[in-house]
Amino acid sequence: MADNSIGDMYKLLLCWRYLRTRWIALASVISVTLGVATMIVVNSVMAGFSHEMQTRIHGILSDIVFESHSLSGFQDPQWHIEEIERAAGDQIAGMTPTVAVPAMLSFQVRGQWVTRQVMFIGIDPRTHAQVSDFGQYLQHPTNREQLSFSLREGGYDTTDSQSPTETPTRPALEHAGWPHRRMRVERERLWKERLETKKSAENTTTRSVDQQVHDVLAATSPKDDSAETSSDVTEDGESRKNPFQTARPAQGRAMDPAKEQFTGIVPGIGLASFRNRQGVDQFLTLPGDDVKITFPTAGTPPKAVSDNFTIVDFYESKMSEYDSNFVFVPIDALQRMRGMIDPQTGIPSVNSIQIRLKPDAKLNEVRDRLREVFPSDLYAIATWRDKQGPLLSAVDMEMAVLNILLFLIIAVAGFGILAIFFMIVVEKTRDIGILKALGATSSGIAGIFLGYGLFLGLLGAGAGLVLGLSITYNINQIRLVVEWCTGSRVFDPSIYYFFQIPTIIDPVTIGWIIIGAIVIATGSSVLPAVRAARLHAVEALRHE
Amino acid sequence: MSDLEIPSKTPPMLETRQVCKQYQSGTTTLEVLRGVDFTLKEGGFLAVVGQSGSGKSTLLHVMGLLDAPDSGEVWINGRRIDNLPVREKDRLRNSSIGMVFQAYHLLPELTALENVLAPLLIRYGIFDWFTQRRAAQEKAKALLDRFGLSDRLHHRPRQLSGGEMQRVAIARALITDPQVLLADEPTGNLDEESGAGIIEALAELNRDKGLSIVLVTHDADIASQAGGIVRLAAGTVDIMNSGAADSAA
Ligand SMILES: Nc1ncnc2c1ncn2[C@@H]1O[C@H](COP(=O)(O)OP(=O)(O)OP(=O)(O)O)[C@@H](O)[C@H]1O
Ligand SMILES: [Mg+2]
């Protein structure tokens, strides 16, 4: 007798034979498969969404935001930038000052005024691109390279540059820019002429038409660039109802709207458009149109001022919260209009400084260093993660809860295996006795059932892996098929602003899912295996 | 029997010394074996007879290491085996003791050939199996051939008759070249003719190969074909005749 290792060949043979004759055990394999597949799909999609969201948020926000608590901001951004540079310059790649104030945006849609509450953000067109991916969210290819607040002659993207599809989804943008502006001015002129002839003929124009004429006049009224900050108008009830009524006192030279523009702004695309059921974006207003923005001045108490602006591009970060909230404007214009420039020294104030770090820099470390230097009662210093903390942790939480729920599916499969294995142990009691009589060890007997459980786990997890990956890879086609079958939208691009369901397949997560499934399947066979191993040989042989 | 005697002559193949076994069911204690002294010399062929419930199977299980005695000793070939560690007992069952049962006890999932190979499958690991497989299969086929089953190699137990199943079971018991074969009423479920065939095969093994055999039976005719008869009654060995009794003194 050479060695004492009693072999394991019969375990394999019996496992194999049991598998071939015990189809019922395969039922529990199916639930392992489904559990694993669902977990892989859900995790991939959630990770895709989460990643998409994070890159969006991070692209919009700079790494660290250095803010003043006051709406009036702090003076002398250049001094602050130098101080920040001194504190953590080795880790900083770029900085840019911004001014952000809440404001009201009003624009005309078919003669109706639409007013929206917005965040009005003054940015430095030269340096802003250094701290965030701002440029890449614009609709004009040239603006994406170097932002300019001048209206373009045309050439705006008619498709979504971030998720290109073959068919144009924004046909309206084809004529945006100067051509649209000229066309509008021409149309308004014709309309005015027609109305005037009609008025003189009948002299019984209705009040609403009269109103509209005034609106047209107001929208195309001349603008005095030098008078921008001095032309502040205190808003009263009447001007709120029609802010253009008193927009410009007739002063200065007349502006030709077909050739000139007001200060350029870039509003979020969500403010100006909505996506219809066909996935085509409908625009309420276009680059080239003029809008009216009302915002508070920097003084105490703040006074509301209004001014005209011309839309020059749209901003589309695909975070609907930002796209339907942000309006960007050149920082110097906003500083001037809000009175943020000291009249004596000419030193401007800003609300915040956006800081972008070098790729390998430590986010929290830089934040903490800055917090040491700048008193926290004057400045709020936060990382982009801090700012989006609640959202990001909500997503993490959601993912964790979903994973627990889905893992319960596999756990249920585990209980199925447990029950089925107990049945098999009872059914096979006599055979277990035979094996013991032939010299099989207790651990060998246990090994049969553990091996069988492991095999079921591997089979279930393997099938689940294949199923899960193929669903994940083809999720968008599957979505189309499901939509076609049910006739209802499963994934509505007008809600998510994605054309595709984003997925990220993380091998580590998948590894854990597979390991978890195998451990559960094998673990479920432990109790039946122990029971089988403990059977008394003689009693087992007597079993009928 | 003193220890001094053992080295002087060849030890008995199988021996029990004062083996006691009792079953507790509820408050009543059933003493099945109360000090059984049993000896089988090498190459012996003993029949164990006794009334139903006299403890024949129990004694066989104790000798075959399937059950542990409450007290007493079991020796095989001069070596005490009832107090060995569990693993060692498993190994002895796998290599030194062949067992045949009344109910055949074949594994239903395996073919006749695989059933015969089962003890070797249990003995060898995967690697060893692949080196031993050919020889093992040849041996199993030869055994089945000897019992007239060469055309039943790949039949499942339920496709075989009772006599065929019992012959497969005997082949399985023999594949390990055991030192002793323990058969518990191997003919109990068979008709007279197939039963006679089985007994003839056992007698032949004893005669030709010198295999030591313990055969439990009800049947006086069958018992008479053995080299000696042991009667179990009241939990002890009642009568022992023939040559086996000499060495048991
Ligand atoms: N696990 C057990 N619990 C209680 N009593 C038992 C147990 N196993 C056996 N017995 C009893 O022990 C006695 C001996 O049983 P055993 O099977 O050895 O008899 P036997 O001589 O083989 O009978 P038969 O000729 O019918 O096979 C019987 O009375 C039986 O009821
Ligand atoms: Mg019996």
Side-chain angles (χ1 to χ4, degrees):
Chain A
M1 304 296 136
D3 61 317
N4 272 312
S5 70
I6 297 289
D8 39 17
M9 194 57 213
Y10 69 111
K11 294 179 220 161
L12 283 183
L13 188 68
L14 286 173
C15 282
W16 175 238
R17 289 295 157 81
Y18 281 6
L19 259 190
R20 286 208 336 205
T21 50
R22 301 286 174 301
W23 293 111
I24 184 76
L26 290 178
S28 49
V29 169
I30 293 172
S31 41
V32 175
T33 301
L34 290 179
V36 167
T38 325
M39 277 191 85
I40 288 176
V41 172
V42 167
N43 272 287
S44 302
V45 171
M46 291 290 280
F49 268 105
S50 167
H51 175 80
E52 198 81 356
M53 231 168 61
Q54 293 210 19
T55 46
R56 295 249 156 96
I57 292 170
H58 193 194
I60 298 156
L61 301 174
S62 51
D63 291 318
I64 293 182
V65 182
F66 179 97
E67 279 177 304
S68 113
H69 288 303
S70 150
L71 205 59
S72 309
F74 50 83
Q75 267 217 319
D76 201 355
Q78 199 51 44
W79 178 84
H80 283 89
I81 285 176
E82 277 159 20
E83 281 300 304
I84 293 169
E85 186 80 35
R86 198 169 309 151
D90 52 326
Q91 308 220 43
I92 290 172
M95 283 184 266
T96 188
T98 59
V99 174
V101 285
M104 304 298 285
L105 169 79
S106 307
F107 56 89
Q108 245 183 338
V109 182
R110 293 175 184 271
Q112 291 284 316
W113 281 100
V114 176
T115 300
R116 301 246 160 112
Q117 182 191 327
V118 297
M119 182 55 75
F120 201 30
I121 303 172
I123 58 169
D124 181 352
R126 278 185 311 106
T127 58
H128 199 75
Q130 293 169 11
V131 301
S132 75
D133 304 334
F134 179 77
Q136 90 179 56
Y137 300 132
L138 300 175
Q139 305 308 308
H140 197 286
T142 321
N143 279 347
R144 284 205 284 276
E145 271 148 38
Q146 176 58 55
L147 171 63
S148 147
F149 281 97
S150 316
L151 188 60
R152 304 271 174 190
E153 189 51 51
Y156 293 90
D157 289 329
T158 52
T159 56
D160 185 345
S161 64
Q162 291 170 70
S163 53
T165 47
E166 286 88 46
T167 51
T169 53
R170 288 163 185 169
L173 282 181
E174 200 180 334
H175 304 291
W178 280 113
H180 172 74
R181 189 174 179 83
R182 284 193 291 270
M183 206 167 73
R184 186 175 53 85
V185 169
E186 180 63 16
R187 196 184 298 146
E188 275 165 9
R189 194 182 55 76
L190 288 173
W191 187 29
K192 203 168 81 184
E193 273 175 16
R194 205 177 63 204
L195 275 176
E196 260 163 15
T197 46
K198 210 174 170 188
K199 198 175 176 180
S200 56
E202 295 177 17
N203 209 15
T204 53
T205 328
T206 63
R207 171 85 186 108
S208 71
V209 172
D210 196 30
Q211 186 74 35
Q212 285 174 17
V213 174
H214 277 278
D215 296 344
V216 170
L217 284 170
T220 56
S221 66
K223 168 184 168 240
D224 189 343
D225 284 313
S226 63
E228 262 172 354
T229 46
S230 59
S231 66
D232 302 343
V233 174
T234 312
E235 234 178 23
D236 55 22
E238 195 193 319
S239 66
R240 191 186 301 278
K241 189 177 146 218
N242 182 0
F244 282 61
Q245 199 77 32
T246 54
R248 280 290 168 274
Q251 55 171 251
R253 64 183 173 82
M255 169 189 150
D256 180 2
K259 296 209 175 69
E260 290 171 82
Q261 67 168 91
F262 297 106
T263 309
I265 56 162
V266 177
I269 200 161
L271 286 166
S273 75
F274 59 92
R275 180 162 294 170
N276 69 12
R277 295 253 132 198
Q278 283 77 46
V280 176
D281 286 327
Q282 306 276 298
F283 284 86
L284 303 173
T285 181
L286 284 173
D289 282 333
D290 291 336
V291 300
K292 186 89 181 160
I293 296 181
T294 310
F295 49 92
T297 59
T300 310
K303 280 178 277 176
V305 283
S306 298
D307 213 328
N308 290 319
F309 296 89
T310 301
I311 298 174
V312 298
D313 204 336
F314 287 126
Y315 167 82
E316 185 182 22
S317 67
K318 302 212 183 270
M319 285 291 295
S320 64
E321 189 195 334
Y322 299 138
D323 289 348
S324 56
N325 225 344
F326 287 174
V327 176
F328 296 94
V329 66
I331 189 167
D332 46 350
L334 188 58
Q335 280 167 333
R336 204 157 9 95
M337 290 184 275
R338 290 192 68 213
M340 291 176 90
I341 300 173
D342 191 307
Q344 268 106 55
T345 58
I347 294 173
S349 298
V350 297
N351 282 129
S352 66
I353 294 171
Q354 312 282 325
I355 303 167
R356 164 121 316 180
L357 301 183
K358 290 181 177 154
D360 53 346
K362 300 209 174 44
L363 198 59
N364 291 349
E365 190 194 307
V366 176
R367 176 196 61 191
D368 295 340
R369 256 200 255 169
L370 293 181
R371 278 182 180 170
E372 275 168 31
V373 176
F374 295 94
S376 62
D377 50 346
L378 289 181
Y379 304 99
I381 300 164
T383 66
W384 69 277
R385 280 186 183 279
D386 297 338
K387 294 219 128 196
Q388 289 299 328
L391 181 60
L392 296 181
S393 61
V395 170
D396 284 349
M397 175 75 164
E398 215 170 287
M399 221 153 148
V401 169
L402 257 175
N403 271 328
I404 289 169
L405 289 180
L406 291 172
F407 208 70
L408 284 180
I409 295 182
I410 302 179
V412 168
F415 280 108
I417 291 177
L418 187 87
I420 289 167
F421 273 35
F422 263 119
M423 265 172 50
I424 294 179
V425 170
V426 170
E427 188 195 335
K428 289 279 145 199
T429 298
R430 215 166 65 126
D431 296 4
I432 292 164
I434 297 170
L435 287 169
K436 288 198 163 179
L438 296 179
T441 59
S442 292
S443 57
I445 302 282
I448 294 175
F449 289 90
L450 290 177
Y452 192 23
L454 177 68
F455 189 90
L456 293 185
L458 284 173
L459 198 73
L465 177 70
V466 172
L467 185 66
L469 286 184
S470 37
I471 290 178
T472 306
Y473 279 121
N474 298 305
I475 190 142
N476 284 294
Q477 284 89 315
I478 291 170
R479 167 174 67 89
L480 293 178
V481 171
V482 170
E483 283 174 2
W484 182 81
C485 289
T486 61
S488 67
R489 272 238 131 120
V490 175
F491 175 84
D492 194 343
S494 64
I495 297 170
Y496 292 102
Y497 273 95
F498 306 129
F499 278 96
Q500 302 264 307
I501 301 175
T503 57
I504 288 181
I505 292 169
D506 175 24
V508 175
T509 310
I510 290 181
W512 278 114
I513 294 170
I514 299 286
I515 289 171
I518 293 171
V519 165
I520 281 197
T522 317
S524 308
S525 56
V526 166
L527 276 180
V530 166
R531 196 194 140 125
R534 289 229 178 117
L535 283 176
H536 190 276
V538 174
E539 277 160 29
L541 282 173
R542 284 220 175 95
H543 185 89
E544 273 310 318
Chain B
M1 189 177 275
S2 83
D3 291 337
L4 290 173
E5 283 176 280
I6 293 169
S8 63
K9 56 182 195 175
T10 51
M13 177 52 68
L14 189 63
E15 193 181 7
T16 65
R17 298 181 188 169
Q18 284 301 308
V19 162
C20 294
K21 182 80 188 171
Q22 59 186 34
Y23 289 111
Q24 195 86 35
S25 51
T27 51
T28 59
T29 307
L30 181 66
E31 288 187 63
V32 182
L33 304 177
R34 342 180 172 190
V36 175
D37 285 317
F38 174 96
T39 307
L40 173 72
K41 66 179 185 190
E42 191 174 350
F45 182 4
L46 275 183
V48 178
V49 295
Q51 283 188 323
S52 182
S54 57
K56 305 182 295 293
S57 297
T58 306
L59 177 62
L60 211 64
H61 291 149
V62 167
M63 293 194 295
L65 296 178
L66 285 178
D67 217 343
D70 295 329
S71 65
E73 300 169 1
V74 182
W75 292 67
I76 195 164
N77 230 350
R79 179 183 179 207
R80 188 173 168 189
I81 56 171
D82 61 289
N83 58 354
L84 289 174
V86 176
R87 287 245 160 196
E88 198 58 23
K89 285 185 182 174
D90 290 335
R91 213 169 55 76
L92 277 173
R93 274 206 302 275
N94 185 249
S95 57
S96 301
I97 302 166
M99 292 196 87
V100 178
F101 305 92
Q102 179 176 358
Y104 325 125
H105 287 338
L106 298 179
L107 293 167
E109 272 82 16
L110 307 186
T111 63
L113 182 63
E114 287 163 345
N115 264 293
V116 174
L117 284 169
L120 297 183
L121 287 168
I122 289 172
R123 181 182 303 173
Y124 294 123
I126 296 174
F127 182 75
D128 290 337
W129 174 248
F130 280 103
T131 59
Q132 305 289 332
R133 190 175 48 136
R134 205 165 279 270
Q137 279 179 340
E138 285 314 311
K139 192 173 178 186
K141 279 180 190 161
L143 275 171
L144 286 168
D145 191 34
R146 184 151 119 223
F147 292 117
L149 292 167
S150 46
D151 54 347
R152 298 282 192 282
L153 298 184
H154 303 293
H155 285 55
R156 294 289 160 86
R158 87 176 79 84
Q159 297 165 315
L160 299 172
S161 74
E164 286 167 337
M165 281 196 272
Q166 197 58 289
R167 278 178 281 163
V168 172
I170 293 172
R172 178 179 68 186
L174 294 177
I175 189 126
T176 57
D177 294 322
Q179 294 176 292
V180 60
L181 182 73
L182 308 176
D184 190 354
E185 297 186 50
T187 60
N189 285 7
L190 302 177
D191 60 275
E192 219 163 291
E193 204 173 320
S194 359
I198 295 291
I199 296 304
E200 179 51 40
L202 290 181
E204 199 183 297
L205 280 167
N206 176 250
R207 214 168 41 236
D208 300 351
K209 310 260 169 175
L211 179 65
S212 312
I213 297 173
V214 179
L215 171 70
V216 170
T217 181
H218 279 305
D219 194 315
D221 280 354
I222 289 172
S224 66
Q225 292 188 45
I229 298 176
V230 174
R231 177 173 297 279
L232 261 186
T236 49
V237 176
D238 193 23
I239 306 167
M240 284 186 100
N241 67 2
S242 92
D246 303 339
S247 63

